[in-house]
Amino acid sequence: MFVQAPQLSALSAIKHAFFTREGGVSEGLYGSLNGGLGSNDEQVHVQENRCRMAAALGIEPVNLLSLYQIHSPHVMTIERPWEGPRPQADAMVTRVPGLALGISTADCGPVLFVDNENGVIGAAHAGWKGAFGGVLEATVAAMETLGARREAITAVLGPTISRANYEVGTEFEKQFREASADNASHFTPSDRDGHFMFDLPGYISRRMDRLGIGSFHDMELCTYADEKRFYSFRRATHRNEPDYGRLISAITLTA
């Protein structure tokens, strides 16, 4: 039903899970633990799946929070569950126990953060646009406003599409290269002229390393390659499927 990072499992003040696609009730191309509120899956199935996720985290279902993600650097500071429409943002931070910060992905990078010493957590949706726009840096800054110390933060990147399965065009590569010559290392030529393979996990790792946090870890799990465990937007697109399930990665303070 989920995978965990040893670096987070070892910490006493949190629970976390990178939920897989296994262990739910959804059917067809959503099979089976689809947590995507924005998918076209039967909402009764999505809600049951999210209840199962909440139970695994030891929280009430209403406290499993998910944003309306827009591939931005925007971060929400969370003090209680919201009522009404989901806020539009791509990261959350809190110091309130019992609230689970849930990130929805299907190839983009889910990054979970914790300062175990000071009781502050964060979660970020780091697709290429969000990572390029600074969502990781904004998440750490927001954690610091709640009392986190940068050097005490542990962060983990969960299931993300790998370089071997992420082909992009010339304009995409040019945008990164013009932003920084260092970004060239994240691209290798593909088998098609004018195309490149992009290393999103490597790019996220580089930006995290420059933040100077206590530690950062990549679980090195590819959403595209591992169809049994993970949903993938790109894999669904290549198959001309009309929709796809969403993975949930979540973290909560227990005390």
Side-chain angles (χ1 to χ4, degrees), residues 33-197:
L33 192 66
N34 174 31
L37 296 171
S39 72
N40 293 322
D41 193 4
E42 296 287 343
Q43 283 301 299
V44 64
H45 291 166
V46 174
Q47 292 302 330
E48 172 59 24
N49 292 338
R50 292 177 67 90
C51 284
R52 295 185 181 194
M53 295 177 193
L57 293 166
I59 62 167
E60 294 297 321
V62 69
N63 288 345
L64 175 55
L65 307 177
S66 293
L67 299 162
Y68 188 109
Q69 296 171 181
I70 55 174
H71 299 276
S72 73
H74 302 323
V75 183
M76 296 286 298
T77 298
I78 307 300
E79 296 180 346
R80 63 186 63 84
W82 48 75
E83 298 179 1
R86 291 172 288 155
Q88 294 190 16
D90 286 271
M92 293 176 278
V93 298
T94 193
R95 57 180 305 118
V96 179
L99 298 181
L101 310 181
I103 294 299
S104 172
T105 61
D107 283 337
C108 294
V111 184
L112 302 182
F113 303 74
V114 59
D115 177 342
N116 200 56
E117 297 175 12
N118 296 292
V120 182
I121 57 173
H125 164 237
W128 78 261
K129 287 184 180 179
F132 189 80
V135 71
L136 301 168
E137 293 84 352
T139 304
V140 170
M143 290 179 68
E144 288 179 313
T145 66
L146 293 181
R149 291 188 305 112
R150 188 167 297 223
E151 60 272 23
I153 294 174
T154 297
V156 175
L157 172 64
T160 307
I161 193 168
S162 65
R163 183 201 297 254
N165 297 294
Y166 197 175
E167 187 180 54
V168 299
T170 301
E171 290 304 311
F172 184 104
E173 186 268 348
K174 179 181 177 182
Q175 181 178 189
F176 278 78
R177 180 166 37 82
E178 289 180 346
S180 171
D182 292 342
N183 289 335
S185 64
H186 301 304
F187 295 87
T188 53
S190 78
D191 294 334
R192 292 200 298 164
D193 288 343
H195 289 76
F196 300 86
M197 307 308 293

